[in-house]
Amino acid sequence: MASVAIAMSSASRTLLLFSPFKTSLSFRKIPKLPSSVNTACFCCCSYSTQLQSQFQTSRRRDVVEILQQRGLLESITSSTIHDAVSSGPVKVYCGFDPTAESLHLGNLLGLIVLSWFQRCGHHAVALIGGATARIGDPSGKSLERPELDVDTLRKNTDGIRDTIYKILLSNSENFSILNNYDWWKEVRLLDFLRNVGRYARVGTMMSKESVKKRLESEQGMSYTEFTYQLLQGYDFLRLFEKEGVSVQIGGNDQWGNITAGTELIRKILQVEGAFGLTFPLLLKSDGTKFGKSEEGAVWLSPSMLSPYKFYQYFFSVPDADVVRFLKILTFLELEEIGELEREMGRPGYVPNSVQRRLAEEVTRFVHGEEGLSEAVKATQALRPGAEAKLDWQTIEGIAEDVPSCSLAYNEVLNLSLVDLSVSAGLLESKSAARRLLKQGGLYLNNSRVDGENKRIEAEDIVDGKVILLSAGKKNKVLIRIS
């Protein structure tokens, strides 16, 4: 199996490459590094002219070296990829199977790596797996994926396509969005076995790490899942031959699928020049996977996770992880990140200032300036004690992220705050509400309430529609007035 081992020394960094081809091991010494769109095919540029001119402005920027500097490189199939990306523009692709209506944080690294290629003058191709999602990638999975019906696949495809389009367009117009179902729907089984299957060695397929783990498990692996690597390999072959795509990227769990493609290209087309590149999984300093919240996956679509809550997820990153995540998840210069790291150790540093910068950069990348503005406004306005005046739109912006209830206007008007806190489910008892009032921890629309005789007045109902109650800084409940 191909992998990369990086040995650090005071003078240089050595990259040890195990080629997937039948060649001897090769070593490369690298100098020490310093501290609704048509799904079938969407192309945002004239590749031959515009891309060439843009590439001239950053011609000598080795995007692979940039990825290595930032901790975004784990394995490459050949050291000659450095020459390929430095000598001219290339087309690079990453696959996204529409197994859910939205991409999640685990998919973000693929979009970031594609974006780095764009920023260095290359052409990014996002491949939606409308065909492969019907099979299910076994990589990193202990069970076979549930089968998705056609309507669900279509809905999921539309959702992730929109996210990909918005994110890649924010970098440049050098990208395309394709769907592999557009060629797989025309492929006949007997033709595929004769033209492609004959070149696939069963022993090699079984030696893939994702296959070995599943075969050793109690559930085993179906033949359908076993063929997935061959399907993804053929995708690379077709993109290489028909679209001029020469680089495939993916997480380190995709190594077997990626090398299946480079092997097919070498055997069937009998040419070199196809490369694979993987990046590491996004892990926290304690070794656990980064990308899950208490409520589940951190989605990239605002319809499944508000920009406000997305922003809050990154704002809460521990100090031990924030600098590394700035390198991996943002496009800030390494010198600026180094200065932010030094600020954290200086006297007078305001806690979470660097986390705020991380949250701003990642939220802007995923949700744009409008989404970031929404998140920052909600964060500031919803902080208990904040001077910013609440309005109905701001409160509704977090409606999906906090518990809520509905009460009639005449039930709420003149009701004591103590009784309302219990009726709305913010606190369990009146005694708990009175105790919190005495401690100064109960807030009505972000304003601290000190007296337990406070009753709800008409002006306490924001825009005549909602009330926001807070117990301390984190526990909130939204009351809709009907």
Side-chain angles (χ1 to χ4, degrees), residues 310-319 322-323 326 330 332 340 343-344 349-364 372 375-377 379-380 383:
F310 184 87
Y311 178 95
Q312 290 297 318
Y313 184 77
F314 287 94
F315 187 77
S316 62
V317 165
D319 285 350
V322 65
V323 173
L326 278 170
T330 79
L332 296 177
L340 290 171
E343 283 184 14
M344 293 178 69
Y349 169 73
V350 178
N352 287 93
S353 295
V354 176
Q355 279 87 343
R356 180 179 293 106
R357 185 64 184 278
L358 172 68
E360 289 173 353
E361 294 295 326
V362 181
T363 304
R364 180 185 293 110
L372 174 60
V376 171
K377 182 180 178 182
T379 298
Q380 293 173 344
R383 187 175 67 251

Side-chain angles (χ1 to χ4, degrees), residues 39-54:
T39 307
C41 176
F42 175 77
C43 181
C44 269
C45 73
S46 173
Y47 178 71
S48 60
T49 56
Q50 181 180 347
L51 180 54
Q52 284 286 356
S53 63
Q54 287 192 3

Side-chain angles (χ1 to χ4, degrees), residues 32 68 75 111 129 165 190 195 228 236 245 274 281 384 437 478:
K32 186 177 181 181
Q68 184 180 345
S75 306
L111 292 170
Y165 172 74
L190 293 180
N195 298 328
Y228 186 94
F236 195 5
V245 174
L281 296 177
L437 271 168
L478 171 65

Side-chain angles (χ1 to χ4, degrees), residues 143-326:
L143 296 172
E144 188 164 357
R145 291 182 185 272
E147 186 177 354
L148 300 175
D149 59 68
V150 174
D151 290 338
T152 299
L153 278 171
R154 185 180 297 112
K155 183 179 180 181
N156 292 351
T157 296
D158 290 342
I160 70 172
R161 182 193 57 216
D162 290 346
T163 298
I164 293 169
Y165 172 74
K166 291 174 183 176
I167 290 177
L168 294 184
L169 185 62
S170 69
N171 300 299
S172 76
E173 295 183 347
N174 290 332
F175 72 93
S176 306
I177 300 177
L178 307 176
N179 189 331
N180 64 9
Y181 184 69
D182 293 312
W183 54 80
W184 277 109
K185 66 184 178 183
E186 306 294 341
V187 175
R188 297 184 178 184
L189 176 60
L190 293 180
D191 293 337
F192 180 74
L193 292 176
R194 181 182 68 247
N195 298 328
V196 179
R198 62 185 298 186
Y199 294 97
R201 303 293 89 182
V202 173
T204 302
M205 294 176 69
M206 292 185 67
S207 68
K208 306 293 186 185
E209 193 63 29
S210 59
V211 173
K212 287 196 295 184
K213 287 183 178 180
R214 287 291 298 275
L215 290 177
E216 294 168 359
S217 69
E218 183 178 341
Q219 292 77 16
M221 171 181 275
S222 70
Y223 174 75
T224 299
E225 286 185 297
F226 181 64
T227 63
Y228 186 94
Q229 59 179 289
L230 198 53
L231 302 186
Q232 184 169 327
Y234 178 76
D235 282 341
F236 195 5
L237 170 69
R238 189 191 183 284
L239 290 171
F240 183 90
E241 185 177 25
K242 304 294 186 182
E243 304 290 339
V245 174
S246 58
V247 181
Q248 181 183 178
I249 65 168
N252 59 9
D253 59 344
Q254 292 295 306
W255 182 255
N257 295 337
I258 291 173
T259 55
T262 56
E263 289 170 4
L264 284 179
I265 291 169
R266 180 177 62 87
K267 291 177 179 178
I268 295 177
L269 302 181
Q270 297 184 351
V271 296
E272 303 292 344
F275 304 98
L277 179 154
T278 64
F279 41 82
L281 296 177
L282 192 58
L283 302 176
K284 294 185 285 189
S285 56
D286 61 7
T288 59
K289 186 179 292 187
F290 181 74
K292 295 283 186 179
S293 67
E294 293 180 359
E295 294 79 15
V298 178
W299 301 106
L300 304 189
S301 170
S303 64
M304 296 184 68
L305 187 73
S306 70
Y308 163 75
K309 198 152 192 177
F310 184 87
Y311 178 95
Q312 290 297 318
Y313 184 77
F314 287 94
F315 187 77
S316 62
V317 165
D319 285 350
D321 295 319
V322 65
V323 173
R324 184 165 54 88
F325 288 169
L326 278 170

Side-chain angles (χ1 to χ4, degrees), residues 460-475:
D460 294 323
I461 303 175
V462 178
D463 295 337
K465 297 180 179 181
V466 293
I467 293 174
L468 183 67
L469 295 183
S470 305
K473 293 184 177 181
K474 294 186 177 180
N475 297 327

